[in-house]
Short mmCIF file of all heavy atoms in Angstrom, two decimals:
data_model
loop_
_atom_site.label_atom_id
_atom_site.label_comp_id
_atom_site.label_asym_id
_atom_site.label_seq_id
_atom_site.Cartn_x
_atom_site.Cartn_y
_atom_site.Cartn_z
N MET C 1 -22.02 75.70 -48.19
CA MET C 1 -23.28 75.28 -47.59
C MET C 1 -23.05 74.77 -46.17
O MET C 1 -23.93 74.89 -45.34
CB MET C 1 -23.90 74.19 -48.47
CG MET C 1 -25.33 73.94 -48.16
SD MET C 1 -26.41 75.37 -48.20
CE MET C 1 -26.84 75.45 -49.91
N SER C 2 -21.85 74.25 -45.92
CA SER C 2 -21.56 73.76 -44.56
C SER C 2 -21.63 74.89 -43.54
O SER C 2 -22.09 74.68 -42.42
CB SER C 2 -20.19 73.10 -44.53
OG SER C 2 -20.22 71.90 -45.26
N LEU C 3 -21.21 76.08 -43.94
CA LEU C 3 -21.30 77.22 -43.03
C LEU C 3 -22.77 77.54 -42.73
O LEU C 3 -23.13 77.82 -41.58
CB LEU C 3 -20.61 78.44 -43.65
CG LEU C 3 -20.58 79.70 -42.81
CD1 LEU C 3 -19.86 79.47 -41.49
CD2 LEU C 3 -19.91 80.82 -43.58
N SER C 4 -23.61 77.47 -43.73
CA SER C 4 -25.04 77.72 -43.52
C SER C 4 -25.65 76.64 -42.64
O SER C 4 -26.51 76.93 -41.80
CB SER C 4 -25.77 77.77 -44.86
OG SER C 4 -25.31 78.86 -45.62
N TYR C 5 -25.21 75.40 -42.82
CA TYR C 5 -25.71 74.33 -41.96
C TYR C 5 -25.29 74.56 -40.51
O TYR C 5 -26.08 74.38 -39.58
CB TYR C 5 -25.24 72.96 -42.45
CG TYR C 5 -25.66 71.85 -41.53
CD1 TYR C 5 -27.01 71.59 -41.31
CD2 TYR C 5 -24.72 71.09 -40.85
CE1 TYR C 5 -27.42 70.59 -40.44
CE2 TYR C 5 -25.12 70.09 -39.98
CZ TYR C 5 -26.47 69.84 -39.78
OH TYR C 5 -26.86 68.86 -38.91
N SER C 6 -24.06 74.99 -40.32
CA SER C 6 -23.58 75.29 -38.97
C SER C 6 -24.43 76.39 -38.34
O SER C 6 -24.83 76.29 -37.17
CB SER C 6 -22.11 75.72 -39.02
OG SER C 6 -21.67 76.09 -37.73
N ALA C 7 -24.74 77.43 -39.11
CA ALA C 7 -25.59 78.51 -38.59
C ALA C 7 -26.99 77.99 -38.29
O ALA C 7 -27.60 78.40 -37.30
CB ALA C 7 -25.65 79.65 -39.61
N PHE C 8 -27.49 77.09 -39.11
CA PHE C 8 -28.81 76.48 -38.90
C PHE C 8 -28.86 75.80 -37.53
O PHE C 8 -29.78 76.01 -36.74
CB PHE C 8 -29.07 75.49 -40.04
CG PHE C 8 -30.30 74.64 -39.88
CD1 PHE C 8 -31.56 75.17 -40.08
CD2 PHE C 8 -30.19 73.30 -39.57
CE1 PHE C 8 -32.69 74.38 -39.97
CE2 PHE C 8 -31.31 72.49 -39.46
CZ PHE C 8 -32.57 73.04 -39.65
N ILE C 9 -27.84 74.99 -37.25
CA ILE C 9 -27.76 74.29 -35.97
C ILE C 9 -27.64 75.29 -34.82
O ILE C 9 -28.33 75.16 -33.79
CB ILE C 9 -26.58 73.30 -35.95
CG1 ILE C 9 -26.79 72.20 -36.98
CG2 ILE C 9 -26.36 72.73 -34.56
CD1 ILE C 9 -28.02 71.36 -36.76
N GLN C 10 -26.79 76.29 -34.99
CA GLN C 10 -26.61 77.28 -33.93
C GLN C 10 -27.90 78.05 -33.67
O GLN C 10 -28.22 78.36 -32.51
CB GLN C 10 -25.48 78.24 -34.31
CG GLN C 10 -24.12 77.59 -34.29
CD GLN C 10 -23.04 78.54 -34.71
OE1 GLN C 10 -22.90 79.59 -34.10
NE2 GLN C 10 -22.29 78.17 -35.74
N HIS C 11 -28.65 78.34 -34.72
CA HIS C 11 -29.91 79.05 -34.53
C HIS C 11 -30.92 78.17 -33.80
O HIS C 11 -31.64 78.63 -32.91
CB HIS C 11 -30.47 79.50 -35.89
CG HIS C 11 -31.71 80.31 -35.76
ND1 HIS C 11 -32.95 79.82 -36.08
CD2 HIS C 11 -31.91 81.59 -35.33
CE1 HIS C 11 -33.85 80.75 -35.86
NE2 HIS C 11 -33.26 81.83 -35.40
N GLN C 12 -30.95 76.89 -34.15
CA GLN C 12 -31.85 75.97 -33.45
C GLN C 12 -31.52 75.88 -31.96
O GLN C 12 -32.41 75.70 -31.14
CB GLN C 12 -31.76 74.57 -34.06
CG GLN C 12 -32.46 74.45 -35.39
CD GLN C 12 -32.45 73.02 -35.87
OE1 GLN C 12 -31.50 72.28 -35.68
NE2 GLN C 12 -33.53 72.63 -36.52
N GLU C 13 -30.26 76.00 -31.64
CA GLU C 13 -29.80 75.92 -30.25
C GLU C 13 -29.78 77.29 -29.55
O GLU C 13 -29.26 77.43 -28.45
CB GLU C 13 -28.40 75.29 -30.18
CG GLU C 13 -28.35 73.86 -30.71
CD GLU C 13 -29.16 72.90 -29.86
OE1 GLU C 13 -29.19 73.06 -28.62
OE2 GLU C 13 -29.76 71.96 -30.44
N ASN C 14 -30.33 78.30 -30.23
CA ASN C 14 -30.38 79.68 -29.71
C ASN C 14 -29.01 80.26 -29.42
O ASN C 14 -28.84 81.04 -28.48
CB ASN C 14 -31.28 79.76 -28.47
CG ASN C 14 -32.71 79.46 -28.80
OD1 ASN C 14 -33.26 79.96 -29.78
ND2 ASN C 14 -33.33 78.61 -28.01
N LEU C 15 -28.03 79.87 -30.24
CA LEU C 15 -26.68 80.41 -30.09
C LEU C 15 -26.44 81.62 -30.99
O LEU C 15 -25.49 82.37 -30.78
CB LEU C 15 -25.64 79.33 -30.38
CG LEU C 15 -25.69 78.13 -29.43
CD1 LEU C 15 -24.76 77.03 -29.91
CD2 LEU C 15 -25.36 78.55 -28.01
N ILE C 16 -27.29 81.78 -32.01
CA ILE C 16 -27.27 83.01 -32.81
C ILE C 16 -28.70 83.54 -32.87
O ILE C 16 -29.66 82.78 -32.81
CB ILE C 16 -26.68 82.81 -34.23
CG1 ILE C 16 -27.49 81.80 -35.05
CG2 ILE C 16 -25.22 82.42 -34.17
CD1 ILE C 16 -27.03 81.69 -36.50
N ASP C 17 -28.81 84.84 -32.98
CA ASP C 17 -30.13 85.47 -32.94
C ASP C 17 -30.83 85.40 -34.30
O ASP C 17 -30.24 85.02 -35.31
CB ASP C 17 -30.03 86.91 -32.44
CG ASP C 17 -29.15 87.80 -33.31
OD1 ASP C 17 -29.05 87.54 -34.54
OD2 ASP C 17 -28.57 88.75 -32.78
N ASP C 18 -32.10 85.77 -34.30
CA ASP C 18 -32.91 85.71 -35.51
C ASP C 18 -32.37 86.61 -36.61
O ASP C 18 -32.40 86.24 -37.78
CB ASP C 18 -34.36 86.09 -35.21
CG ASP C 18 -35.09 85.06 -34.37
OD1 ASP C 18 -34.62 83.89 -34.30
OD2 ASP C 18 -36.12 85.42 -33.77
N GLU C 19 -31.88 87.77 -36.26
CA GLU C 19 -31.37 88.71 -37.26
C GLU C 19 -30.15 88.11 -37.98
O GLU C 19 -30.04 88.21 -39.21
CB GLU C 19 -31.00 90.04 -36.61
CG GLU C 19 -30.54 91.09 -37.60
CD GLU C 19 -30.25 92.43 -36.95
OE1 GLU C 19 -30.09 92.49 -35.71
OE2 GLU C 19 -30.18 93.41 -37.69
N THR C 20 -29.27 87.49 -37.23
CA THR C 20 -28.10 86.86 -37.84
C THR C 20 -28.53 85.69 -38.71
O THR C 20 -28.05 85.53 -39.83
CB THR C 20 -27.12 86.39 -36.75
OG1 THR C 20 -26.74 87.53 -35.96
CG2 THR C 20 -25.89 85.75 -37.35
N TRP C 21 -29.45 84.88 -38.23
CA TRP C 21 -29.95 83.76 -39.01
C TRP C 21 -30.60 84.24 -40.30
O TRP C 21 -30.41 83.66 -41.37
CB TRP C 21 -30.91 82.91 -38.19
CG TRP C 21 -31.57 81.85 -39.01
CD1 TRP C 21 -32.90 81.67 -39.18
CD2 TRP C 21 -30.93 80.82 -39.77
NE1 TRP C 21 -33.13 80.60 -40.01
CE2 TRP C 21 -31.93 80.06 -40.39
CE3 TRP C 21 -29.60 80.48 -40.01
CZ2 TRP C 21 -31.65 78.98 -41.22
CZ3 TRP C 21 -29.32 79.40 -40.84
CH2 TRP C 21 -30.35 78.66 -41.43
N ASP C 22 -31.38 85.32 -40.23
CA ASP C 22 -32.01 85.87 -41.42
C ASP C 22 -30.98 86.26 -42.47
O ASP C 22 -31.20 86.09 -43.67
CB ASP C 22 -32.88 87.08 -41.07
CG ASP C 22 -34.15 86.71 -40.35
OD1 ASP C 22 -34.54 85.52 -40.36
OD2 ASP C 22 -34.77 87.62 -39.75
N ALA C 23 -29.84 86.77 -42.03
CA ALA C 23 -28.77 87.13 -42.96
C ALA C 23 -28.25 85.88 -43.68
O ALA C 23 -27.99 85.91 -44.89
CB ALA C 23 -27.64 87.84 -42.24
N TYR C 24 -28.11 84.78 -42.97
CA TYR C 24 -27.69 83.52 -43.60
C TYR C 24 -28.73 83.05 -44.61
O TYR C 24 -28.39 82.63 -45.72
CB TYR C 24 -27.46 82.43 -42.55
CG TYR C 24 -26.11 82.49 -41.90
CD1 TYR C 24 -25.93 83.12 -40.68
CD2 TYR C 24 -25.00 81.90 -42.51
CE1 TYR C 24 -24.69 83.17 -40.07
CE2 TYR C 24 -23.76 81.94 -41.90
CZ TYR C 24 -23.61 82.58 -40.69
OH TYR C 24 -22.38 82.62 -40.10
N VAL C 25 -29.99 83.10 -44.23
CA VAL C 25 -31.06 82.67 -45.12
C VAL C 25 -31.07 83.52 -46.39
O VAL C 25 -31.19 82.99 -47.51
CB VAL C 25 -32.43 82.72 -44.41
CG1 VAL C 25 -33.58 82.49 -45.39
CG2 VAL C 25 -32.48 81.69 -43.28
N ASN C 26 -30.92 84.82 -46.24
CA ASN C 26 -30.89 85.71 -47.40
C ASN C 26 -29.72 85.39 -48.31
O ASN C 26 -29.86 85.39 -49.54
CB ASN C 26 -30.85 87.17 -46.96
CG ASN C 26 -32.15 87.63 -46.36
OD1 ASN C 26 -33.21 87.08 -46.64
ND2 ASN C 26 -32.09 88.62 -45.49
N ALA C 27 -28.56 85.12 -47.73
CA ALA C 27 -27.37 84.80 -48.52
C ALA C 27 -27.58 83.51 -49.31
O ALA C 27 -27.24 83.42 -50.50
CB ALA C 27 -26.14 84.70 -47.63
N VAL C 28 -28.15 82.51 -48.66
CA VAL C 28 -28.42 81.24 -49.35
C VAL C 28 -29.41 81.47 -50.48
O VAL C 28 -29.24 80.96 -51.59
CB VAL C 28 -28.94 80.17 -48.37
CG1 VAL C 28 -29.50 78.96 -49.11
CG2 VAL C 28 -27.84 79.74 -47.42
N GLY C 29 -30.43 82.27 -50.23
CA GLY C 29 -31.43 82.57 -51.26
C GLY C 29 -30.83 83.24 -52.48
O GLY C 29 -31.19 82.92 -53.62
N ILE C 30 -29.87 84.13 -52.26
CA ILE C 30 -29.19 84.79 -53.38
C ILE C 30 -28.43 83.77 -54.21
O ILE C 30 -28.50 83.77 -55.44
CB ILE C 30 -28.26 85.90 -52.85
CG1 ILE C 30 -29.09 87.07 -52.31
CG2 ILE C 30 -27.30 86.38 -53.95
CD1 ILE C 30 -28.30 88.08 -51.51
N HIS C 31 -27.72 82.86 -53.55
CA HIS C 31 -26.96 81.85 -54.28
C HIS C 31 -27.89 80.88 -55.01
O HIS C 31 -27.61 80.49 -56.15
CB HIS C 31 -26.04 81.07 -53.34
CG HIS C 31 -24.93 81.91 -52.80
ND1 HIS C 31 -23.94 82.45 -53.59
CD2 HIS C 31 -24.66 82.32 -51.54
CE1 HIS C 31 -23.10 83.14 -52.86
NE2 HIS C 31 -23.52 83.08 -51.60
N LEU C 32 -28.98 80.49 -54.36
CA LEU C 32 -29.90 79.54 -54.98
C LEU C 32 -30.63 80.13 -56.19
O LEU C 32 -31.16 79.39 -57.01
CB LEU C 32 -30.91 79.04 -53.96
CG LEU C 32 -30.37 78.02 -52.96
CD1 LEU C 32 -31.37 77.78 -51.84
CD2 LEU C 32 -30.04 76.71 -53.65
N ALA C 33 -30.63 81.44 -56.30
CA ALA C 33 -31.27 82.08 -57.44
C ALA C 33 -30.50 81.83 -58.73
O ALA C 33 -31.05 81.99 -59.83
CB ALA C 33 -31.42 83.58 -57.19
N HIS C 34 -29.25 81.42 -58.61
CA HIS C 34 -28.42 81.13 -59.78
C HIS C 34 -28.59 79.66 -60.16
O HIS C 34 -28.39 78.78 -59.32
CB HIS C 34 -26.95 81.44 -59.50
CG HIS C 34 -26.73 82.88 -59.15
ND1 HIS C 34 -26.70 83.88 -60.10
CD2 HIS C 34 -26.55 83.49 -57.96
CE1 HIS C 34 -26.50 85.04 -59.50
NE2 HIS C 34 -26.41 84.83 -58.20
N PRO C 35 -28.98 79.40 -61.41
CA PRO C 35 -29.29 78.02 -61.81
C PRO C 35 -28.16 77.02 -61.51
O PRO C 35 -28.43 75.91 -61.07
CB PRO C 35 -29.53 78.13 -63.32
CG PRO C 35 -29.92 79.55 -63.54
CD PRO C 35 -29.18 80.34 -62.49
N GLY C 36 -26.93 77.39 -61.73
CA GLY C 36 -25.82 76.47 -61.48
C GLY C 36 -25.72 76.06 -60.03
O GLY C 36 -25.47 74.89 -59.72
N PHE C 37 -25.95 77.00 -59.14
CA PHE C 37 -25.89 76.68 -57.72
C PHE C 37 -27.04 75.78 -57.33
O PHE C 37 -26.87 74.80 -56.59
CB PHE C 37 -25.88 77.95 -56.86
CG PHE C 37 -25.58 77.68 -55.42
CD1 PHE C 37 -24.28 77.63 -54.96
CD2 PHE C 37 -26.61 77.46 -54.52
CE1 PHE C 37 -24.00 77.37 -53.63
CE2 PHE C 37 -26.35 77.20 -53.18
CZ PHE C 37 -25.04 77.16 -52.75
N ALA C 38 -28.22 76.09 -57.83
CA ALA C 38 -29.39 75.28 -57.52
C ALA C 38 -29.20 73.84 -58.03
O ALA C 38 -29.55 72.88 -57.34
CB ALA C 38 -30.64 75.91 -58.14
N GLU C 39 -28.60 73.69 -59.21
CA GLU C 39 -28.33 72.35 -59.73
C GLU C 39 -27.32 71.63 -58.86
O GLU C 39 -27.46 70.43 -58.59
CB GLU C 39 -27.83 72.45 -61.16
CG GLU C 39 -28.91 72.86 -62.15
CD GLU C 39 -28.36 73.09 -63.55
OE1 GLU C 39 -27.31 72.52 -63.89
OE2 GLU C 39 -29.00 73.85 -64.30
N SER C 40 -26.30 72.34 -58.41
CA SER C 40 -25.29 71.73 -57.54
C SER C 40 -25.91 71.27 -56.23
O SER C 40 -25.57 70.20 -55.72
CB SER C 40 -24.16 72.72 -57.26
OG SER C 40 -23.46 73.00 -58.43
N TRP C 41 -26.79 72.09 -55.68
CA TRP C 41 -27.46 71.72 -54.43
C TRP C 41 -28.16 70.37 -54.58
O TRP C 41 -28.09 69.52 -53.71
CB TRP C 41 -28.44 72.81 -54.00
CG TRP C 41 -29.35 72.41 -52.88
CD1 TRP C 41 -30.70 72.33 -52.92
CD2 TRP C 41 -28.97 72.03 -51.55
NE1 TRP C 41 -31.19 71.93 -51.70
CE2 TRP C 41 -30.15 71.74 -50.83
CE3 TRP C 41 -27.76 71.91 -50.89
CZ2 TRP C 41 -30.15 71.31 -49.51
CZ3 TRP C 41 -27.75 71.50 -49.57
CH2 TRP C 41 -28.93 71.20 -48.89
N ASN C 42 -28.81 70.16 -55.70
CA ASN C 42 -29.49 68.89 -55.93
C ASN C 42 -28.52 67.71 -55.91
O ASN C 42 -28.88 66.61 -55.52
CB ASN C 42 -30.28 68.91 -57.24
CG ASN C 42 -31.55 69.72 -57.12
OD1 ASN C 42 -32.17 69.76 -56.08
ND2 ASN C 42 -31.93 70.37 -58.21
N ASP C 43 -27.28 67.96 -56.31
CA ASP C 43 -26.27 66.89 -56.34
C ASP C 43 -25.75 66.52 -54.95
O ASP C 43 -25.42 65.37 -54.71
CB ASP C 43 -25.09 67.30 -57.22
CG ASP C 43 -25.45 67.34 -58.70
OD1 ASP C 43 -26.45 66.72 -59.09
OD2 ASP C 43 -24.71 68.01 -59.45
N PHE C 44 -25.64 67.48 -54.05
CA PHE C 44 -25.02 67.17 -52.76
C PHE C 44 -25.91 67.34 -51.54
O PHE C 44 -25.48 67.12 -50.41
CB PHE C 44 -23.70 67.95 -52.56
CG PHE C 44 -23.82 69.44 -52.50
CD1 PHE C 44 -24.14 70.07 -51.32
CD2 PHE C 44 -23.58 70.21 -53.62
CE1 PHE C 44 -24.23 71.45 -51.25
CE2 PHE C 44 -23.66 71.60 -53.57
CZ PHE C 44 -23.99 72.21 -52.38
N LYS C 45 -27.18 67.65 -51.74
CA LYS C 45 -28.04 67.88 -50.59
C LYS C 45 -28.26 66.62 -49.75
O LYS C 45 -28.55 66.71 -48.57
CB LYS C 45 -29.37 68.50 -51.00
CG LYS C 45 -30.31 67.60 -51.78
CD LYS C 45 -31.56 68.40 -52.15
CE LYS C 45 -32.56 67.60 -52.91
NZ LYS C 45 -33.74 68.42 -53.23
N GLY C 46 -28.08 65.46 -50.34
CA GLY C 46 -28.26 64.22 -49.60
C GLY C 46 -27.29 64.06 -48.44
O GLY C 46 -27.52 63.25 -47.55
N GLY C 47 -26.25 64.86 -48.41
CA GLY C 47 -25.28 64.80 -47.32
C GLY C 47 -25.69 65.59 -46.09
O GLY C 47 -24.96 65.61 -45.10
N TYR C 48 -26.84 66.23 -46.15
CA TYR C 48 -27.32 67.04 -45.03
C TYR C 48 -28.59 66.43 -44.46
O TYR C 48 -29.34 65.76 -45.16
CB TYR C 48 -27.58 68.48 -45.49
CG TYR C 48 -26.32 69.21 -45.85
CD1 TYR C 48 -25.86 69.24 -47.15
CD2 TYR C 48 -25.57 69.84 -44.87
CE1 TYR C 48 -24.68 69.90 -47.47
CE2 TYR C 48 -24.39 70.49 -45.18
CZ TYR C 48 -23.95 70.51 -46.48
OH TYR C 48 -22.78 71.16 -46.79
N PRO C 49 -28.87 66.70 -43.19
CA PRO C 49 -30.08 66.17 -42.56
C PRO C 49 -31.36 66.69 -43.25
O PRO C 49 -31.38 67.77 -43.84
CB PRO C 49 -30.01 66.69 -41.12
CG PRO C 49 -28.58 66.99 -40.89
CD PRO C 49 -28.04 67.44 -42.23
N LYS C 50 -32.40 65.89 -43.13
CA LYS C 50 -33.68 66.20 -43.77
C LYS C 50 -34.21 67.59 -43.39
O LYS C 50 -34.73 68.31 -44.24
CB LYS C 50 -34.69 65.12 -43.40
CG LYS C 50 -36.00 65.22 -44.13
CD LYS C 50 -36.91 64.06 -43.76
CE LYS C 50 -38.20 64.12 -44.54
NZ LYS C 50 -39.06 62.96 -44.21
N SER C 51 -34.08 67.97 -42.14
CA SER C 51 -34.62 69.27 -41.70
C SER C 51 -33.92 70.43 -42.42
O SER C 51 -34.57 71.40 -42.82
CB SER C 51 -34.48 69.44 -40.19
OG SER C 51 -33.12 69.33 -39.79
N PHE C 52 -32.61 70.31 -42.63
CA PHE C 52 -31.87 71.36 -43.33
C PHE C 52 -32.21 71.33 -44.83
O PHE C 52 -32.41 72.39 -45.42
CB PHE C 52 -30.37 71.18 -43.12
CG PHE C 52 -29.53 72.27 -43.74
CD1 PHE C 52 -29.57 73.56 -43.24
CD2 PHE C 52 -28.70 71.99 -44.81
CE1 PHE C 52 -28.80 74.57 -43.81
CE2 PHE C 52 -27.92 72.98 -45.38
CZ PHE C 52 -27.97 74.27 -44.88
N ARG C 53 -32.29 70.16 -45.40
CA ARG C 53 -32.66 70.05 -46.83
C ARG C 53 -34.02 70.68 -47.08
O ARG C 53 -34.22 71.40 -48.06
CB ARG C 53 -32.68 68.58 -47.26
CG ARG C 53 -31.33 67.93 -47.29
CD ARG C 53 -31.34 66.58 -47.99
NE ARG C 53 -32.45 65.72 -47.66
CZ ARG C 53 -32.38 64.64 -46.89
NH1 ARG C 53 -31.23 64.29 -46.34
NH2 ARG C 53 -33.44 63.90 -46.67
N LYS C 54 -34.96 70.41 -46.17
CA LYS C 54 -36.31 70.97 -46.32
C LYS C 54 -36.27 72.49 -46.29
O LYS C 54 -36.91 73.16 -47.11
CB LYS C 54 -37.22 70.43 -45.21
CG LYS C 54 -38.65 70.91 -45.31
CD LYS C 54 -39.50 70.29 -44.21
CE LYS C 54 -40.91 70.84 -44.28
NZ LYS C 54 -41.75 70.29 -43.21
N LEU C 55 -35.50 73.04 -45.37
CA LEU C 55 -35.38 74.50 -45.29
C LEU C 55 -34.80 75.07 -46.58
O LEU C 55 -35.35 76.02 -47.14
CB LEU C 55 -34.49 74.90 -44.10
CG LEU C 55 -34.13 76.38 -44.09
CD1 LEU C 55 -35.31 77.22 -43.66
CD2 LEU C 55 -32.94 76.63 -43.21
N ILE C 56 -33.70 74.50 -47.05
CA ILE C 56 -33.05 75.02 -48.26
C ILE C 56 -33.98 74.87 -49.46
O ILE C 56 -34.09 75.80 -50.28
CB ILE C 56 -31.70 74.32 -48.50
CG1 ILE C 56 -30.74 74.57 -47.33
CG2 ILE C 56 -31.09 74.78 -49.82
CD1 ILE C 56 -30.46 76.03 -47.03
N ASP C 57 -34.66 73.76 -49.58
CA ASP C 57 -35.59 73.59 -50.68
C ASP C 57 -36.73 74.61 -50.60
O ASP C 57 -37.20 75.09 -51.61
CB ASP C 57 -36.13 72.16 -50.71
CG ASP C 57 -35.08 71.16 -51.16
OD1 ASP C 57 -34.07 71.57 -51.78
OD2 ASP C 57 -35.25 69.96 -50.88
N THR C 58 -37.17 74.93 -49.39
CA THR C 58 -38.21 75.95 -49.22
C THR C 58 -37.70 77.32 -49.66
O THR C 58 -38.41 78.06 -50.34
CB THR C 58 -38.66 76.01 -47.74
OG1 THR C 58 -39.18 74.73 -47.37
CG2 THR C 58 -39.72 77.07 -47.52
N ILE C 59 -36.46 77.63 -49.29
CA ILE C 59 -35.85 78.91 -49.70
C ILE C 59 -35.78 78.98 -51.22
O ILE C 59 -36.09 80.00 -51.84
CB ILE C 59 -34.46 79.10 -49.08
CG1 ILE C 59 -34.55 79.26 -47.58
CG2 ILE C 59 -33.74 80.31 -49.69
CD1 ILE C 59 -33.21 79.18 -46.86
N SER C 60 -35.37 77.87 -51.84
CA SER C 60 -35.18 77.89 -53.30
C SER C 60 -36.50 78.00 -54.05
O SER C 60 -36.52 78.44 -55.18
CB SER C 60 -34.41 76.64 -53.75
OG SER C 60 -35.17 75.48 -53.59
N LEU C 61 -37.60 77.62 -53.41
CA LEU C 61 -38.92 77.71 -54.05
C LEU C 61 -39.62 79.04 -53.78
O LEU C 61 -40.63 79.34 -54.41
CB LEU C 61 -39.81 76.57 -53.56
CG LEU C 61 -39.36 75.16 -53.94
CD1 LEU C 61 -40.25 74.13 -53.25
CD2 LEU C 61 -39.36 74.97 -55.44
N ALA C 62 -39.06 79.82 -52.85
CA ALA C 62 -39.70 81.09 -52.48
C ALA C 62 -39.60 82.07 -53.65
O ALA C 62 -38.58 82.14 -54.33
CB ALA C 62 -39.03 81.67 -51.25
N PRO C 63 -40.66 82.84 -53.88
CA PRO C 63 -40.61 83.84 -54.96
C PRO C 63 -39.59 84.92 -54.61
O PRO C 63 -39.41 85.29 -53.46
CB PRO C 63 -42.02 84.41 -55.00
CG PRO C 63 -42.67 83.99 -53.73
CD PRO C 63 -41.92 82.82 -53.19
N ALA C 64 -38.94 85.42 -55.63
CA ALA C 64 -37.92 86.46 -55.45
C ALA C 64 -38.54 87.80 -55.18
O ALA C 64 -39.64 88.08 -55.46
CB ALA C 64 -37.03 86.52 -56.68
#
């Protein structure tokens, strides 16, 4: 998840393009579709800033 957070920051700073960021979002969505990963995220998401947590929670709630 730290790699995804790094990409999140880089995208906000316009250091990576939208297409690359979309690939990260898609990868996170695939992992979050697995119940074990989603449960783990709930355990450690408090270590990330609110803006990133909100994004990940939005991805996890998105219909497949």
Side-chain angles (χ1 to χ4, degrees):
M1 195 54 85
S2 291
L3 181 60
S4 296
Y5 176 62
S6 177
F8 172 75
I9 296 299
Q10 291 178 57
H11 184 254
Q12 285 185 324
E13 298 295 324
N14 295 314
L15 298 173
I16 61 174
D17 60 29
D18 291 341
E19 184 177 17
T20 302
W21 173 238
D22 288 345
Y24 277 97
V25 170
N26 289 335
V28 168
I30 289 168
H31 292 295
L32 285 169
H34 299 282
F37 190 87
E39 289 174 25
S40 294
W41 169 242
N42 284 327
D43 290 340
F44 63 84
K45 69 182 181 180
Y48 292 94
K50 187 176 182 178
S51 58
F52 184 68
R53 292 192 317 253
K54 182 178 177 181
L55 170 75
I56 299 302
D57 289 341
T58 300
I59 293 169
S60 68
L61 295 173

